[in-house]
Amino acid sequence: MTPDLHVADLHPAVDDPALNSMNFLNEVAQHYPDAVSLAAGRPYEEFFDVDALHRHLDRFRRHLADDLGQSPAQVHRTLFQYGRTKGIVHHLVARNLAVDEGITVDEEAVVVTVGCQEAMFLVLRALRSSPRDVLLAVAPTYVGLTGAARLLDLPVWPVAGGPTGVDLADLRAQVRAARAGGLRPRACYLMPDFANPSGASISVADRRRLLDLAAEQDLLLVEDNPYGLFPAGDGDRPPTLKALDTARRVVYLGSFAKTVLPGARVGYVVADQRVAGSDGTVGLLADQLAKIKSMVTVNTSALAQAVVGGALLEHGCSLVAATVRERAAYARNLRHLVAGLARRFGDPSPVRWNVPAGGFFVVVTVPFAVDDALLHRSAREYGVLWTPMAHFYDDGAPVDALRLSISAVTPEEIDVGLDRLAALVTDELARRGAGAPVG
Ligand SMILES: Cc1ncc(COP(=O)(O)O)c(C=O)c1O
């Protein structure tokens, strides 16, 4: 085939590993459809309900008429026409944050986006104003964030995460090092609750220290929270950074993908930071993000927002109430996976794993490098998929760990998947002469 264009003439990001990562992982999954997938961070599909879509849409339509007083013509326009750039369920998002998270926020500070992914993109686009700007991000980092930053020519500087979710001393050191090098760290991106991919959570004490550090260093924090509603235990959920934020240091990203449905592609950003305009007026960062959004996706699909809005209304705007079944299933699966790891890789074993307090992900560390070639072999010869942790680091260095996900499988599939993973690890250890078989 004669090429018409060369990739070298396109934006460099299109040839970057960060942008190839999701496609690669999807392609492996498609190539081995019979493999058990402990790779996908997708929500469990048995909970999807076509009837609920219709019910939610109708519930939102009635809300427009009965609660917001819209005439039939206005209801039609709201559902069928191009719409408000910042969204039509912003008030319900604000109510949800008040009900579930104790976050009090002006609904005008909410921008409803095409998934959380667009929210990330808008925030990074707005913050990246000069080639001196860098983004700090706790490593390992969600690859969607790294890819978005790449597309915006915004370098990502890793901050050590470690078992406590964020190494505060390293964060301070990275901010100082960046500034000493003439760079401007614009924000630090992190996930305090059940992070993807590490599973780590940040303690309440460290959340407070983080906010103090952000104030001390005059730094914004970008808090991404797609998994916070899925604790595995019964205790109180810790407050989000945004709930503790009294000084508008935190830009908060939300997603309805895991709590309502990913197919709607609805997420949001809360950006209540005050921005001084060139004309001397002061507005909200949300309004600057809306300008960018108007040139990217114009507005988030009204129909998709209506479905999400109806789901929120059906449960008094509480996603805690809306996701009782999901929380129970994910907690059961997480416990099942951790117990299954202990059974198969018992003490003493060169295999280690963390025990997250909730969310979808567990990281398993093995005494050999885990790369894409091993994933292919695992899929082809053993019938189990997982995610090499190397995809979540930006430096291309070998990584001896893999991420397992519990969200899209049953306990029985977890058992099959872990049996196959144990066989792979046993064979790998034997092949490398690195210890006794496991099992
Ligand atoms: C940490 C994190 N942020 C954002 C997203 C993307 O969310 P959305 O599907 O709403 O774009 C995901 C999806 O898996 C995620 O894991």
Side-chain angles (χ1 to χ4, degrees):
M1 237 196 308
T2 317
D4 297 314
L5 292 170
H6 196 283
V7 74
D9 297 321
L10 304 179
H11 189 280
V14 299
D15 212 21
D16 190 278
L19 271 80
N20 285 320
S21 176
M22 288 201 198
N23 282 347
F24 167 78
L25 296 169
N26 286 336
E27 276 167 21
V28 176
Q30 277 165 16
H31 204 80
Y32 302 100
D34 295 331
V36 171
S37 180
L38 299 176
R42 297 158 165 240
Y44 189 55
E45 296 185 355
E46 297 298 311
F47 293 139
F48 296 156
D49 175 5
V50 174
D51 291 340
L53 295 180
H54 297 283
R55 203 173 63 239
H56 295 332
L57 195 51
D58 195 51
R59 182 73 183 80
F60 186 72
R61 182 185 62 75
R62 284 189 282 114
H63 169 68
L64 294 176
D66 300 347
D67 303 334
L68 303 188
Q70 292 193 3
S71 67
Q74 285 171 319
V75 171
H76 271 81
R77 195 167 303 127
T78 303
L79 291 176
F80 285 87
Q81 267 296 8
Y82 290 107
R84 182 175 174 274
T85 309
K86 289 202 287 184
I88 56 172
V89 296
H90 55 304
H91 57 301
L92 302 178
V93 171
R95 216 181 292 165
N96 163 248
L97 289 172
V99 171
D100 282 341
E101 307 295 349
I103 296 173
T104 308
V105 72
D106 178 356
E107 63 190 43
E108 285 301 323
V110 176
V111 182
V112 183
T113 53
V114 180
C116 177
Q117 187 65 33
E118 189 197 15
M120 279 181 213
F121 191 84
L122 300 181
V123 172
L124 300 192
R125 174 65 284 169
L127 291 179
R128 198 280 187 197
S129 74
S130 98
R132 289 171 44 233
D133 293 339
V134 295
L135 177 73
L136 302 171
V138 166
T141 310
Y142 175 58
V143 73
L145 185 277
T146 312
R150 245 347 153 266
L151 280 170
L152 294 163
D153 301 312
L154 179 62
V156 179
W157 271 40
V159 171
T164 58
V166 61
D167 180 332
L168 294 170
D170 192 52
L171 174 55
R172 183 181 280 109
Q174 296 301 337
V175 172
R176 288 185 178 156
R179 287 185 179 145
L183 302 173
R184 281 205 311 175
R186 300 308 320 268
C188 179
Y189 168 85
L190 72 180
M191 246 173 288
D193 293 285
F194 324 132
N196 179 10
S198 71
S201 295
I202 300 176
S203 71
V204 178
D206 273 358
R207 290 176 200 225
R208 294 189 194 281
R209 288 189 198 106
L210 196 49
L211 287 164
D212 290 344
L213 181 57
E216 171 199 303
Q217 295 294 329
D218 190 16
L219 187 71
L220 284 174
L221 301 173
V222 178
E223 177 179 28
D224 190 4
N225 188 16
Y227 305 101
L229 288 190
F230 304 120
D234 296 328
D236 287 344
R237 286 183 301 119
T240 61
L241 282 179
K242 190 66 190 160
L244 298 171
D245 175 29
T246 52
R248 298 183 302 279
R249 285 274 159 208
V250 179
V251 176
Y252 184 85
L253 307 180
S255 169
F256 293 106
K258 319 294 167 163
T259 49
V260 184
L261 76 162
R265 304 300 304 126
V266 180
Y268 62 89
V269 48
V270 177
D272 56 358
Q273 289 67 29
R274 295 174 190 160
V275 179
S278 43
D279 58 359
T281 59
V282 177
L284 291 170
L285 177 59
D287 291 310
Q288 306 301 327
L289 300 182
K291 284 190 220 164
I292 301 171
K293 179 174 171 67
S294 75
M295 292 294 148
V296 181
T297 56
V298 184
N299 61 255
T300 303
S301 156
L303 293 177
Q305 290 185 75
V307 168
V308 168
L312 285 168
L313 287 161
E314 187 166 289
H315 296 92
C317 285
S318 172
L319 289 173
V320 171
T323 56
V324 172
R325 278 181 321 177
E326 286 82 351
R327 188 161 49 258
Y330 295 142
R332 175 204 63 201
N333 279 6
L334 190 59
R335 284 193 295 268
H336 196 78
L337 182 94
V338 168
L341 285 167
R343 255 199 318 282
R344 290 167 181 83
F345 302 102
D347 238 7
S349 168
V351 178
R352 288 172 289 119
W353 57 92
N354 63 343
V355 182
F360 288 6
F361 308 110
V362 172
V363 175
V364 177
T365 306
V366 291
F368 46 83
V370 175
D371 56 15
D372 289 349
L374 187 66
L375 171 61
H376 265 296
R377 214 150 63 70
S378 175
R380 192 175 58 243
E381 294 174 23
Y382 296 84
V384 61
L385 298 167
W386 34 263
T387 309
M389 282 295 286
H391 282 256
F392 304 106
Y393 292 93
D394 213 13
D395 55 7
V399 181
D400 61 355
L402 53 96
R403 188 196 74 177
L404 299 180
S405 170
I406 55 85
S407 58
V409 281
T410 61
E412 294 71 30
E413 286 166 329
I414 290 175
D415 284 333
V416 175
L418 287 182
D419 282 344
R420 295 175 179 183
L421 179 67
L424 167 74
V425 172
T426 299
D427 291 352
E428 241 356 74
L429 290 174
R431 211 163 63 85
R432 295 162 195 254
V438 291

